[in-house]
Amino acid sequence: MAERVVVVGLGLIGGSLAKALTGRAGCTVLGIDQNPAVVEKAVACGAIAREADAADLRDADVLYLCLYPQATIDFVRAHGAEIGRQCVVTDTCGVKSAVCPALQALSAEYGFPFVGGHPMAGKEKNGFDVSEAALFDGASYLLTPCGAPEAAVETLRGLAVRMGFGGVVVTTPEHHDEMIAYTSQVPHILACAYVLSPRCLEHRGYSAGSYRDVSRVARINEQLWTELFLDNGAALSRELGTLAEHLAQLKRAVDQKDAETLRRLLRQGRERKESMGE
Amino acid sequence: MAERVVVVGLGLIGGSLAKALTGRAGCTVLGIDQNPAVVEKAVACGAIAREADAADLRDADVLYLCLYPQATIDFVRAHGAEIGRQCVVTDTCGVKSAVCPALQALSAEYGFPFVGGHPMAGKEKNGFDVSEAALFDGASYLLTPCGAPEAAVETLRGLAVRMGFGGVVVTTPEHHDEMIAYTSQVPHILACAYVLSPRCLEHRGYSAGSYRDVSRVARINEQLWTELFLDNGAALSRELGTLAEHLAQLKRAVDQKDAETLRRLLRQGRERKESMGE
């Protein structure tokens, strides 16, 4: 049972993992953050036992990297030699093809096992202050083992269960990125495109759940998501193209007052949703 | 204080209005529905006191028409002569320009006041069985008086408050339809377009709140919404065009790996959302 864990990057995701690993999984959690005030806060509230140093990277059972994609690679490049060969290294990036090959190469170079990871949870706010152990309750945890030993995958799976994740899905970086382009990236692009309409400014009083739901994730962290979108540009572009095509079909039916086509497309949408048991 | 109310059409909206008017506003509510079994159920559960007949249309203080747009006009055309001149007639259609002029003309012909109405609430299910008095809790109630006497507007406003609506907004049919195209119709079109992606079929395990929120209203009543979309085709088409243009801008930035433009567009989305206090 993994007990010594280091979490690098104590933002929303790293802070929440630290809190869940400490409070729910019973691990001894050490933390690293570029902001000393955040480390202090994390110690003060008990999310981490103390700040981690190079010796802790050598002795850890698991290392959770909770940084932006390029920063994740940069950290392992800078500290790879300090990481113990027993330590399961995993990231939390929302894209996998853009980070896993580099981390796999570093894993081969330094001897530690690497398993790509993506905890499917978030908020419209960032930072340690909004992190919470309950963030992952019932959420899906996506793992891309990329050839790592089964034991490393099982270590992460076990911790995920103890933290309260709803399930673990093991897949390839490529399939992960195709699915995420659809399930997560397109909705974020959509939310931004949607609120850019001039009508948005006067929606108050004229809106209900539909507006709220589509626009919710427009409160985006544009630094992070620009990196995520460009790191997954090909898959994201394909999905945006598919969506644009379906939207154009529906718009054409409206423009041509083609009730039959419109009804058919809407019925297909409803049946698709119902066929998923939703 | 209006006490005798007739509700025509006991589906999700009519059934919920009947329950709220009876249970919360303390009105005597009579009902009409093409399905006798629904009338029976409504009586059995106390949503209405009994079925309404022609004499009740003559004596009522308020008449809520809870039918599809064309059926609303057809009902008043067929029964206009039976409606008392004191009776405030209002509809519940999600579009106003396509129904208000015809109902205004019938109001002038028969002498009853007409005020267009749109209770901004719904569900992904239809029919009396899913209706509930709480449906309108905190919701916005849009009124388009179209020249009706202020007293008629005040009657509906007072009942709305007693039913638990969050607020009443008075506007024109044209402005209503422009706003609704954006706040409600586009999200419904979007939800259907979104779930038509082949990726939708395998989203389970790879999705979280973003997928759920964008796809929610794809469980659409295609008969009703085809009518609503075509009745508001011009405004809806303009909004779909605006959305398609913003989506295309974002897609182009992804395709061209133009981080600066992408970041700027996402920041605009975030700032727009934040500027609305959301």
Side-chain angles (χ1 to χ4, degrees):
Chain A
M1 196 170 275
E3 290 303 335
R4 287 192 299 192
V5 176
V6 175
V7 175
V8 180
L10 297 169
L12 168 64
I13 298 298
S16 297
L17 283 175
K19 288 173 180 176
L21 287 163
T22 297
R24 297 178 166 198
C27 300
T28 299
V29 181
L30 310 179
I32 295 176
D33 196 277
Q34 59 184 0
N35 184 344
V38 167
V39 174
E40 252 177 65
K41 255 193 257 189
V43 172
C45 76
I48 63 173
R50 59 171 172 78
E51 189 170 21
D53 58 21
D56 296 314
L57 292 180
R58 198 186 55 223
D59 298 338
D61 295 308
V62 182
L63 173 60
Y64 286 93
L65 300 160
C66 307
L67 305 169
Y68 289 13
Q70 188 56 51
T72 297
I73 297 170
D74 293 345
F75 181 91
V76 180
R77 233 172 233 149
H79 297 276
E82 302 161 21
I83 300 170
R85 298 172 73 105
Q86 81 295 333
C87 178
V88 178
V89 175
T90 188
D91 73 314
T92 54
C93 295
V95 290
K96 299 267 68 86
S97 305
V99 296
C100 287
L103 293 170
Q104 234 180 312
L106 291 162
S107 147
E109 184 178 345
Y110 294 111
F112 57 76
F114 166 73
V115 178
H118 179 192
M120 291 281 295
K123 282 190 183 181
E124 288 79 64
K125 290 177 178 175
N126 310 305
F128 182 79
D129 289 345
V130 293
S131 67
E132 51 176 332
L135 184 67
F136 309 111
D137 278 346
S140 197
Y141 186 34
L142 309 182
L143 292 178
T144 56
C146 307
E150 187 56 27
V153 176
E154 288 312 311
T155 295
L156 295 178
R157 187 196 298 273
L159 285 170
V161 170
R162 285 155 66 191
M163 281 191 274
F165 277 90
V168 176
V169 174
V170 174
T171 185
T172 62
E174 294 69 30
H175 188 241
H176 169 278
D177 287 359
E178 270 181 19
M179 291 309 300
I180 287 305
Y182 174 67
T183 59
S184 167
Q185 296 194 325
V186 164
H188 281 78
I189 291 267
L190 254 182
C192 285
Y194 180 64
V195 300
L196 289 178
S197 166
R199 245 66 55 201
C200 182
L201 292 166
E202 358 165 28
H203 83 81
R204 203 62 52 73
Y206 295 90
S207 60
S210 302
Y211 166 85
R212 189 186 56 234
D213 284 358
V214 174
S215 70
R216 179 174 61 84
V217 290
R219 267 189 87 129
I220 203 167
N221 172 340
E222 68 263 20
Q223 295 293 344
L224 172 60
W225 285 88
T226 294
E227 192 172 342
L228 292 172
F229 290 153
L230 293 183
D231 274 350
N232 197 24
L236 173 57
S237 181
R238 273 197 305 277
E239 273 308 314
L240 286 173
T242 300
L243 178 71
E245 201 178 299
H246 288 129
L247 273 178
Q249 280 177 25
L250 284 151
K251 180 172 186 296
R252 204 154 44 233
V254 170
D255 289 339
Q256 298 176 348
K257 303 184 198 313
D258 180 352
E260 197 180 326
T261 300
L262 191 49
R263 206 177 292 117
R264 179 174 52 77
L265 290 168
L266 298 177
R267 187 177 61 241
Q268 282 174 8
R270 174 176 60 75
E271 288 175 350
R272 171 64 63 87
K273 188 80 175 152
E274 286 172 355
S275 77
M276 309 294 298
E278 291 163 9
Chain B
M1 196 170 273
E3 292 302 335
R4 286 193 301 192
V5 176
V6 175
V7 176
V8 180
L10 297 169
L12 168 64
I13 298 298
S16 298
L17 283 175
K19 289 173 180 175
L21 287 163
T22 298
R24 297 180 167 196
C27 300
T28 300
V29 181
L30 311 178
I32 295 177
D33 195 278
Q34 58 183 0
N35 184 346
V38 167
V39 174
E40 253 178 64
K41 253 192 258 187
V43 172
C45 75
I48 63 173
R50 60 170 171 79
E51 188 169 23
D53 59 23
D56 297 313
L57 292 180
R58 199 186 54 224
D59 299 338
D61 296 308
V62 182
L63 173 60
Y64 287 92
L65 301 160
C66 307
L67 306 169
Y68 289 13
Q70 189 55 51
T72 296
I73 297 170
D74 292 346
F75 181 91
V76 180
R77 233 172 233 149
H79 299 276
E82 303 160 20
I83 300 170
R85 297 171 73 106
Q86 81 296 333
C87 179
V88 178
V89 175
T90 188
D91 72 314
T92 54
C93 295
V95 290
K96 300 266 69 82
S97 306
V99 295
C100 287
L103 294 169
Q104 236 180 309
L106 291 162
S107 147
E109 183 176 347
Y110 294 111
F112 56 76
F114 166 73
V115 178
H118 179 191
M120 290 281 296
K123 281 191 182 183
E124 288 78 65
K125 290 176 177 177
N126 309 305
F128 183 79
D129 289 345
V130 292
S131 68
E132 51 176 332
L135 184 66
F136 309 111
D137 278 348
S140 199
Y141 186 34
L142 310 181
L143 292 179
T144 57
C146 307
E150 187 55 26
V153 176
E154 288 312 310
T155 295
L156 295 178
R157 188 196 298 274
L159 286 170
V161 170
R162 285 154 65 191
M163 279 191 274
F165 277 90
V168 176
V169 174
V170 175
T171 185
T172 62
E174 294 69 30
H175 188 240
H176 169 278
D177 287 0
E178 270 179 19
M179 291 309 299
I180 287 305
Y182 174 67
T183 59
S184 167
Q185 296 194 326
V186 164
H188 281 79
I189 291 267
L190 254 183
C192 285
Y194 180 63
V195 301
L196 289 178
S197 165
R199 244 66 54 201
C200 183
L201 293 166
E202 358 164 29
H203 83 81
R204 203 62 52 73
Y206 294 92
S207 60
S210 302
Y211 165 84
R212 187 185 58 233
D213 284 356
V214 174
S215 70
R216 179 174 61 85
V217 290
R219 267 189 89 130
I220 203 166
N221 173 340
E222 68 262 19
Q223 297 293 344
L224 171 59
W225 284 88
T226 294
E227 193 172 341
L228 293 172
F229 290 153
L230 293 183
D231 274 350
N232 197 24
L236 173 56
S237 181
R238 273 197 305 277
E239 273 308 313
L240 286 172
T242 300
L243 178 71
E245 201 177 299
H246 288 129
L247 273 177
Q249 281 177 26
L250 284 152
K251 181 172 185 295
R252 207 156 41 235
V254 170
D255 289 340
Q256 299 176 348
K257 304 184 197 311
D258 181 351
E260 197 180 326
T261 301
L262 191 48
R263 207 176 292 117
R264 178 174 52 78
L265 290 167
L266 299 177
R267 186 177 62 239
Q268 281 173 10
R270 173 176 61 75
E271 288 174 351
R272 171 65 62 88
K273 188 80 175 153
E274 286 173 354
S275 77
M276 309 295 297
E278 292 162 7

